[in-house]
Amino acid sequence: MYILGISAFYHDAAAALIKDGQIVAAAQEERFTRIKNDDSFPANAIAFCLQQQHITVSELDLVVFYEKPFLKFERLLETYLAFAPNGIVSFIKAISVWSKKKLFIKKIIKDELKKIGGGSAYAKNILFSEHHLSHAAGAYYSSPFSESAVLVIDAVGEAATTSIFTGNKNQLTCIREMNFPHSVGLLYSAFTYFLGFKVNSGEYKLMGLAPYGNINSEQTRNFKNIITGKLCTIFDDGSIYLDQQYFNYAVGLTMVNDRKWEGLFGIRKRKEKDTITDQHCDLALAIQIVTEDIVIKLATEAKRLTGSKNLCIAGGVALNCVANSKLQNEGIFENIYIQPASGDAGGAIGAALSAYHVFLNKDKQERLAEKNDVFTGPSFSDQEILHLLQSHYADFKQYNEEDLYKTVAGYIDEGNIIGWFQGGMEFGPRALGNRSIIADPRNNQMQQKLNLKIKFREGFRPFAPAVLEEKAKNYFTMINLSPHMLFVYPVKDFCQSNLPTEYDNYSLDQKLKFQKSALPAITHADGSARVQTVSKTDNLKFWKLLSAFEERTGCAVLINTSFNVRGEPIVCSPKDALQCFMNTEMDILVLNNYVLIKNDQKRTTKLAYNIQAFND
């Protein structure tokens, strides 16, 4: 039985295919169109999923959309009516979109599937899951638990912004929810907007900026008090009330009332190119602390309502790995599972799984805790890569596997930055060793070099360490393994550097100049790191590269950052990787077992010319 799940028309559209309850293919549309967070109908992602299983549109048993458009439209109308006459400009804009597209999603799905099927119409059921059910199902049914509390926290679905479910075998039941406009996700996004980052994609920048704030400063305490005293009332069960006089997202075209926020916090709304000051850092820290407090309260309430020892988490806020770690440290639940693609893209997986288990009443299948369902995207054969390289007159060398890892480990040890392209593309926001940029974490200059010359992004942005699973506790103070980069852990004391007593009072630029540990390129301002543990069973090639690097250097850790530059999606194809390689100061590109070295100006100029000619 094949079920296709679809998410689209908000942000980060995706498609996922399950076969008899198992995820067999999943990909985000942005990876094919090269438009970051592409929200359009995921025609390319669907075509890939079908090709992956060698099936046609007519062989699909069910197609499931990840939310209910009419319920969402009802909430939209109720909101504009409640705020009338405010919001007329936003209302006209929204109605135009809904009347032309979003109210006719079933027809759009049928029409698009007909195109994908070469004119063959899809004549079976098209189902619509609720938004938060899709999130909950994506987390619970892919977890190793037979029963669990499930916590969904995001911006907004149809109406719900936070939900608590209970999962028991194949049953998934919503037992508590909080509704729009009161939303943890929208509160965090409001600060993302005010601090000059892009909503729905820049929240991780806000999280990365927070540790540069001074937790002991009066300014941070004052900002926190303003948030909890003016903007937001937080109740003991984790529910919140947002004072809408300060916000603009309900019926406006921006997230907040800029003038009122500037009056509250005493700083102007930051523009994207503005210098980041200590005020911005402290404000980021304040909202991060508030968010962590809310998440812990919500989890405590989920524990009270369900009595479960297990917790599954999904929704965009579940990607806040700092909050996840604070929650884990509280010990409220014995076991926590977080859906790796917790945002709207993961809704495609959840929609398909909800149809299989809830609509069709199929039993929840036993799933090993270490099973990794993220490498579900396109992979490319050696022949395909060889054809690409030869057609571009590229200089390359092919290695056998044993020599490949030793050779690349040597290049990394010598200070080179590697584009690493292997196997199936990751599903979700994290590169986990198949579409990655790899470098040496011991190099004190590597963070700035990667940020400014490779990724073309803000210099404060941290990089994650990938570490051999069996050696992880040698470097990090860990509670559990972290295969999907969804938790942060302190770098062990023996690695930490002694910082000046006045460190907290330094500016952001000054803090960036201090070496914080023996692994400076992956150690964040607060001495923590967003750890990826790599196992032999989950990703053998990446594990072998880490092992080769450890054998050469004694260090079982590498920098792992996504293979892309600022404003672009993670690379999907070898051609994408080749273009990214040529457009940055990466030193070496590894495509399967083929290695290209950027060490000859003549050759690289010729290669760049041929790439451009190929694109034209």
Side-chain angles (χ1 to χ4, degrees), residues 359-374:
F359 181 73
L360 297 177
N361 200 31
K362 299 286 187 181
D363 290 340
K364 185 181 189 300
Q365 300 176 13
E366 184 177 348
R367 182 181 184 276
L368 298 176
E370 65 270 17
K371 181 173 172 57
N372 204 333
D373 286 328
V374 296

PDB file of all heavy atoms in Angstrom, residues 359-374:
ATOM      1  N   PHE A 359      -6.806   6.800   9.862  1.00  0.00           N
ATOM      2  CA  PHE A 359      -7.897   6.601   8.904  1.00  0.00           C
ATOM      3  C   PHE A 359      -8.082   5.124   8.559  1.00  0.00           C
ATOM      4  O   PHE A 359      -9.208   4.615   8.537  1.00  0.00           O
ATOM      5  CB  PHE A 359      -7.628   7.413   7.633  1.00  0.00           C
ATOM      6  CG  PHE A 359      -8.693   7.297   6.587  1.00  0.00           C
ATOM      7  CD1 PHE A 359      -9.921   7.936   6.766  1.00  0.00           C
ATOM      8  CD2 PHE A 359      -8.487   6.562   5.439  1.00  0.00           C
ATOM      9  CE1 PHE A 359     -10.914   7.834   5.802  1.00  0.00           C
ATOM     10  CE2 PHE A 359      -9.469   6.453   4.467  1.00  0.00           C
ATOM     11  CZ  PHE A 359     -10.691   7.092   4.649  1.00  0.00           C
ATOM     12  N   LEU A 360      -6.962   4.409   8.319  1.00  0.00           N
ATOM     13  CA  LEU A 360      -7.041   2.997   7.939  1.00  0.00           C
ATOM     14  C   LEU A 360      -6.931   2.059   9.140  1.00  0.00           C
ATOM     15  O   LEU A 360      -7.051   0.835   8.990  1.00  0.00           O
ATOM     16  CB  LEU A 360      -5.942   2.659   6.927  1.00  0.00           C
ATOM     17  CG  LEU A 360      -6.023   3.393   5.585  1.00  0.00           C
ATOM     18  CD1 LEU A 360      -4.832   3.033   4.701  1.00  0.00           C
ATOM     19  CD2 LEU A 360      -7.328   3.073   4.864  1.00  0.00           C
ATOM     20  N   ASN A 361      -6.656   2.640  10.321  1.00  0.00           N
ATOM     21  CA  ASN A 361      -6.618   1.867  11.575  1.00  0.00           C
ATOM     22  C   ASN A 361      -5.563   0.758  11.550  1.00  0.00           C
ATOM     23  O   ASN A 361      -5.762  -0.324  12.094  1.00  0.00           O
ATOM     24  CB  ASN A 361      -8.001   1.267  11.870  1.00  0.00           C
ATOM     25  CG  ASN A 361      -8.153   0.900  13.341  1.00  0.00           C
ATOM     26  OD1 ASN A 361      -7.565   1.542  14.210  1.00  0.00           O
ATOM     27  ND2 ASN A 361      -8.922  -0.140  13.614  1.00  0.00           N
ATOM     28  N   LYS A 362      -4.425   1.040  10.930  1.00  0.00           N
ATOM     29  CA  LYS A 362      -3.328   0.076  10.891  1.00  0.00           C
ATOM     30  C   LYS A 362      -2.504   0.180  12.168  1.00  0.00           C
ATOM     31  O   LYS A 362      -2.283   1.275  12.700  1.00  0.00           O
ATOM     32  CB  LYS A 362      -2.429   0.330   9.683  1.00  0.00           C
ATOM     33  CG  LYS A 362      -3.147   0.206   8.334  1.00  0.00           C
ATOM     34  CD  LYS A 362      -3.419  -1.235   7.973  1.00  0.00           C
ATOM     35  CE  LYS A 362      -3.961  -1.341   6.563  1.00  0.00           C
ATOM     36  NZ  LYS A 362      -4.252  -2.753   6.187  1.00  0.00           N
ATOM     37  N   ASP A 363      -2.015  -0.959  12.647  1.00  0.00           N
ATOM     38  CA  ASP A 363      -1.242  -0.972  13.884  1.00  0.00           C
ATOM     39  C   ASP A 363       0.064  -0.206  13.739  1.00  0.00           C
ATOM     40  O   ASP A 363       0.682  -0.210  12.664  1.00  0.00           O
ATOM     41  CB  ASP A 363      -0.924  -2.414  14.294  1.00  0.00           C
ATOM     42  CG  ASP A 363      -2.158  -3.172  14.764  1.00  0.00           C
ATOM     43  OD1 ASP A 363      -3.140  -2.506  15.135  1.00  0.00           O
ATOM     44  OD2 ASP A 363      -2.139  -4.412  14.735  1.00  0.00           O
ATOM     45  N   LYS A 364       0.464   0.430  14.834  1.00  0.00           N
ATOM     46  CA  LYS A 364       1.781   1.081  14.861  1.00  0.00           C
ATOM     47  C   LYS A 364       2.853   0.004  14.819  1.00  0.00           C
ATOM     48  O   LYS A 364       2.818  -0.946  15.582  1.00  0.00           O
ATOM     49  CB  LYS A 364       1.943   1.930  16.126  1.00  0.00           C
ATOM     50  CG  LYS A 364       3.241   2.733  16.161  1.00  0.00           C
ATOM     51  CD  LYS A 364       3.360   3.527  17.448  1.00  0.00           C
ATOM     52  CE  LYS A 364       4.543   4.483  17.391  1.00  0.00           C
ATOM     53  NZ  LYS A 364       5.835   3.838  17.203  1.00  0.00           N
ATOM     54  N   GLN A 365       3.803   0.180  13.924  1.00  0.00           N
ATOM     55  CA  GLN A 365       4.830  -0.828  13.736  1.00  0.00           C
ATOM     56  C   GLN A 365       5.986  -0.607  14.696  1.00  0.00           C
ATOM     57  O   GLN A 365       6.311   0.525  15.064  1.00  0.00           O
ATOM     58  CB  GLN A 365       5.317  -0.804  12.284  1.00  0.00           C
ATOM     59  CG  GLN A 365       4.206  -1.091  11.296  1.00  0.00           C
ATOM     60  CD  GLN A 365       4.664  -0.973   9.851  1.00  0.00           C
ATOM     61  OE1 GLN A 365       5.840  -0.913   9.575  1.00  0.00           O
ATOM     62  NE2 GLN A 365       3.705  -0.946   8.933  1.00  0.00           N
ATOM     63  N   GLU A 366       6.597  -1.716  15.087  1.00  0.00           N
ATOM     64  CA  GLU A 366       7.760  -1.622  15.968  1.00  0.00           C
ATOM     65  C   GLU A 366       8.887  -0.924  15.226  1.00  0.00           C
ATOM     66  O   GLU A 366       9.171  -1.218  14.064  1.00  0.00           O
ATOM     67  CB  GLU A 366       8.207  -3.023  16.391  1.00  0.00           C
ATOM     68  CG  GLU A 366       9.355  -2.998  17.385  1.00  0.00           C
ATOM     69  CD  GLU A 366       9.747  -4.393  17.855  1.00  0.00           C
ATOM     70  OE1 GLU A 366       8.978  -5.346  17.582  1.00  0.00           O
ATOM     71  OE2 GLU A 366      10.799  -4.516  18.478  1.00  0.00           O
ATOM     72  N   ARG A 367       9.506   0.012  15.887  1.00  0.00           N
ATOM     73  CA  ARG A 367      10.578   0.782  15.259  1.00  0.00           C
ATOM     74  C   ARG A 367      11.746   0.865  16.218  1.00  0.00           C
ATOM     75  O   ARG A 367      11.572   1.202  17.391  1.00  0.00           O
ATOM     76  CB  ARG A 367      10.082   2.194  14.924  1.00  0.00           C
ATOM     77  CG  ARG A 367      11.105   3.077  14.224  1.00  0.00           C
ATOM     78  CD  ARG A 367      10.502   4.456  13.969  1.00  0.00           C
ATOM     79  NE  ARG A 367      11.402   5.301  13.237  1.00  0.00           N
ATOM     80  CZ  ARG A 367      12.386   6.015  13.784  1.00  0.00           C
ATOM     81  NH1 ARG A 367      12.596   5.950  15.082  1.00  0.00           N
ATOM     82  NH2 ARG A 367      13.162   6.783  13.042  1.00  0.00           N
ATOM     83  N   LEU A 368      12.925   0.540  15.721  1.00  0.00           N
ATOM     84  CA  LEU A 368      14.106   0.595  16.564  1.00  0.00           C
ATOM     85  C   LEU A 368      14.454   2.037  16.890  1.00  0.00           C
ATOM     86  O   LEU A 368      14.320   2.924  16.049  1.00  0.00           O
ATOM     87  CB  LEU A 368      15.290  -0.078  15.861  1.00  0.00           C
ATOM     88  CG  LEU A 368      15.110  -1.569  15.540  1.00  0.00           C
ATOM     89  CD1 LEU A 368      16.309  -2.075  14.749  1.00  0.00           C
ATOM     90  CD2 LEU A 368      14.929  -2.378  16.810  1.00  0.00           C
ATOM     91  N   ALA A 369      14.924   2.264  18.105  1.00  0.00           N
ATOM     92  CA  ALA A 369      15.254   3.626  18.546  1.00  0.00           C
ATOM     93  C   ALA A 369      16.344   4.237  17.674  1.00  0.00           C
ATOM     94  O   ALA A 369      16.365   5.439  17.443  1.00  0.00           O
ATOM     95  CB  ALA A 369      15.694   3.602  20.007  1.00  0.00           C
ATOM     96  N   GLU A 370      17.261   3.388  17.163  1.00  0.00           N
ATOM     97  CA  GLU A 370      18.379   3.930  16.391  1.00  0.00           C
ATOM     98  C   GLU A 370      18.082   4.048  14.898  1.00  0.00           C
ATOM     99  O   GLU A 370      18.930   4.484  14.131  1.00  0.00           O
ATOM    100  CB  GLU A 370      19.632   3.056  16.602  1.00  0.00           C
ATOM    101  CG  GLU A 370      19.515   1.637  16.070  1.00  0.00           C
ATOM    102  CD  GLU A 370      18.971   0.654  17.104  1.00  0.00           C
ATOM    103  OE1 GLU A 370      18.388   1.122  18.102  1.00  0.00           O
ATOM    104  OE2 GLU A 370      19.138  -0.569  16.910  1.00  0.00           O
ATOM    105  N   LYS A 371      16.872   3.637  14.464  1.00  0.00           N
ATOM    106  CA  LYS A 371      16.556   3.701  13.036  1.00  0.00           C
ATOM    107  C   LYS A 371      16.533   5.154  12.577  1.00  0.00           C
ATOM    108  O   LYS A 371      15.959   6.018  13.235  1.00  0.00           O
ATOM    109  CB  LYS A 371      15.209   3.034  12.762  1.00  0.00           C
ATOM    110  CG  LYS A 371      14.831   3.039  11.280  1.00  0.00           C
ATOM    111  CD  LYS A 371      13.584   2.217  11.032  1.00  0.00           C
ATOM    112  CE  LYS A 371      13.074   2.362   9.614  1.00  0.00           C
ATOM    113  NZ  LYS A 371      14.062   2.003   8.608  1.00  0.00           N
ATOM    114  N   ASN A 372      17.139   5.410  11.433  1.00  0.00           N
ATOM    115  CA  ASN A 372      17.264   6.779  10.931  1.00  0.00           C
ATOM    116  C   ASN A 372      16.498   6.912   9.618  1.00  0.00           C
ATOM    117  O   ASN A 372      16.843   6.278   8.627  1.00  0.00           O
ATOM    118  CB  ASN A 372      18.748   7.112  10.708  1.00  0.00           C
ATOM    119  CG  ASN A 372      19.003   8.598  10.773  1.00  0.00           C
ATOM    120  OD1 ASN A 372      18.115   9.394  10.498  1.00  0.00           O
ATOM    121  ND2 ASN A 372      20.207   8.975  11.150  1.00  0.00           N
ATOM    122  N   ASP A 373      15.439   7.729   9.630  1.00  0.00           N
ATOM    123  CA  ASP A 373      14.591   7.887   8.447  1.00  0.00           C
ATOM    124  C   ASP A 373      14.836   9.210   7.730  1.00  0.00           C
ATOM    125  O   ASP A 373      13.928   9.747   7.113  1.00  0.00           O
ATOM    126  CB  ASP A 373      13.111   7.816   8.850  1.00  0.00           C
ATOM    127  CG  ASP A 373      12.669   6.405   9.178  1.00  0.00           C
ATOM    128  OD1 ASP A 373      13.211   5.470   8.570  1.00  0.00           O
ATOM    129  OD2 ASP A 373      11.798   6.238  10.036  1.00  0.00           O
ATOM    130  N   VAL A 374      16.031   9.756   7.801  1.00  0.00           N
ATOM    131  CA  VAL A 374      16.252  11.081   7.226  1.00  0.00           C
ATOM    132  C   VAL A 374      16.907  11.061   5.850  1.00  0.00           C
ATOM    133  O   VAL A 374      16.794  12.032   5.106  1.00  0.00           O
ATOM    134  CB  VAL A 374      17.099  11.972   8.172  1.00  0.00           C
ATOM    135  CG1 VAL A 374      16.368  12.236   9.462  1.00  0.00           C
ATOM    136  CG2 VAL A 374      18.451  11.342   8.441  1.00  0.00           C
TER     137      VAL A 374
END
